[in-house]
Amino acid sequence: MYAQQLTAVSGPAGVQLVEIDEPDGTGLVVVDLHAAGVSFPDLLQTTGSYQLVRELPFVLGVEGAGIVRSAPAGSGISAGQRVAVLATDGAWQQTVAVKPDSVFPLPDSVSLEAGAGFLMNYLTVHFALDERARYRAGETVLVHGAAGGVGVAALQVAAALGLETIAVVSTEEKAEIARSHRATHVLMDGWKDRVRDLTGGRGVDIILDPVGGDRFTDSLRSLAPNGRLVVLGFTGGEIPTVKVNRLLLRNISVLGAGWGEYVRTHPGYTARQWSTLGPLLESGALRIAEPTTYSFEHAGDALRTLETRSATGKIALSVRPS
């Protein structure tokens, strides 16, 4: 089968299309992938900047979607089923073999392309809101980078949970994307003052920040009493610092949301998440947008859109034509 491997830590140029053996599916669910998601950690791995370092060469990607070829008896999964998967051994390959708890049935309303690119972002956002921020009904969530993959997921998950959202973006084009993904309000320049106006000077209850950088202090100032700022990443490049006296004086919190690490140390957590998100997806309350799709041969180009921050929404690779 064909796969996209990282063969050198040299950025997207280090990704090469190669031919490898299919995985051993003994005791596992074998899935023929039709599409695979592209995420910011994939880009970080190409430059050696990710916290987990794997030995070269290795197959990139963690999420995908396709058709089950075979499954162990008693797994609750059957051949021919449409599923999304988490593949820690790499999803940028035509066939994967994964444990049953890494397989998530897709309703017919969700395309395989959309299904390939939603697990990491949507599960991460749900983890940030539910497990870390402990959201409450009626709260307001501000989302930075709201037109990116994580940002779009945040808007959709928050809407499905009945939360009001304030999207912060940098251009009118990105503002339109945020509006199309159910943002209650969309702000650009001068967002801190506009947040105060929108909330009557109170501030927001939760901020989800996958960007980092120099907006961090203004984010802290935009929190309501008992507000929570959840750190999801640093796509802006700069890792900010916080003066903890701000937290003490205003009774606010800064929280990290490392979903991948949490999943590694809490077996069964993704199943608990799916017990909430699965029914929302099935009912249509949770919506997944179609990604921007690149051919499998152009995986490096897909990564470059993340590198240049020109990507909007989710990016996926078409591993096989649907």
Side-chain angles (χ1 to χ4, degrees):
M1 67 174 180
Y2 287 103
Q4 286 282 4
Q5 283 187 338
L6 183 66
T7 60
V9 183
S10 55
V15 180
Q16 300 294 324
L17 184 66
V18 298
E19 194 167 2
I20 62 175
D21 293 334
E22 287 194 348
D24 180 6
T26 304
L28 300 172
V29 181
V30 178
V31 180
D32 293 319
L33 295 185
H34 285 241
V38 180
S39 62
F40 196 69
D42 298 323
L43 175 64
L44 292 178
Q45 289 182 79
T46 69
T47 61
S49 304
Y50 195 54
Q51 58 261 40
L52 298 178
V53 178
R54 298 169 62 189
E55 184 179 350
L56 296 173
F58 63 87
V59 177
L60 279 167
V62 176
E63 54 189 349
I67 307 297
V68 175
R69 183 194 299 181
S70 62
S75 65
I77 302 163
S78 56
Q81 198 169 5
R82 301 169 73 257
V83 296
V85 300
L86 291 172
T88 55
D89 289 334
W92 292 10
Q93 53 188 348
Q94 292 181 312
T95 300
V96 296
V98 298
K99 295 178 180 179
D101 62 2
S102 294
V103 179
F104 305 85
L106 288 176
D108 291 340
S109 59
V110 178
S111 72
L112 293 176
E113 288 76 17
F118 89 99
L119 282 176
M120 280 190 65
N121 287 348
Y122 279 64
L123 294 178
T124 293
V125 167
H126 177 261
F127 169 68
L129 287 172
D130 185 57
E131 187 70 26
R132 302 300 290 134
R134 304 286 182 176
Y135 79 90
R136 303 176 183 92
E139 289 192 316
T140 300
V141 182
L142 183 148
V143 180
H144 284 299
V150 172
V152 163
L155 296 176
Q156 292 287 2
V157 172
L161 296 174
L163 303 174
E164 181 178 352
T165 53
I166 299 175
V168 177
V169 296
S170 58
T171 68
E172 185 56 42
E173 177 188 7
K174 292 180 178 180
E176 285 303 315
I177 291 169
R179 292 186 189 102
S180 71
H181 289 288
R182 307 161 77 187
T184 313
H185 308 281
V186 180
L187 308 179
M188 291 188 283
D189 293 339
W191 60 268
K192 179 172 70 72
D193 293 335
R194 291 282 291 120
V195 166
R196 289 291 176 188
D197 293 340
L198 284 172
T199 61
R202 177 178 177 273
V204 296
D205 301 293
I206 299 170
I207 295 178
L208 300 182
D209 186 6
V211 181
D214 57 9
R215 71 186 64 200
F216 197 79
T217 299
D218 282 345
S219 291
L220 292 176
R221 291 170 174 158
S222 299
L223 285 173
N226 200 38
R228 293 86 78 200
L229 193 164
V230 186
V231 178
L232 292 167
F234 313 103
T235 60
E238 180 186 343
I239 298 176
T241 57
V242 58
K243 293 183 178 179
V244 295
N245 64 308
R246 296 182 186 274
L247 313 183
L248 174 66
L249 294 174
R250 301 191 55 239
N251 290 307
I252 57 177
S253 305
V254 176
L255 305 164
W259 171 78
E261 181 60 28
Y262 194 86
V263 168
R264 277 188 286 274
T265 56
H266 291 75
Y269 178 67
T270 55
R272 297 202 301 274
Q273 288 189 282
W274 197 248
S275 69
T276 296
L277 296 182
L280 292 174
L281 191 63
E282 189 75 41
S283 70
L286 181 61
R287 304 172 194 171
I288 302 173
E290 293 297 319
T292 301
T293 305
Y294 286 76
S295 69
F296 201 39
E297 294 79 8
H298 294 107
D301 292 336
L303 286 171
R304 288 183 189 96
T305 66
L306 298 179
E307 186 177 42
T308 61
R309 299 187 65 186
S310 60
T312 56
K314 186 66 181 182
I315 307 294
L317 300 177
S318 181
V319 180
R320 286 185 177 90
S322 298

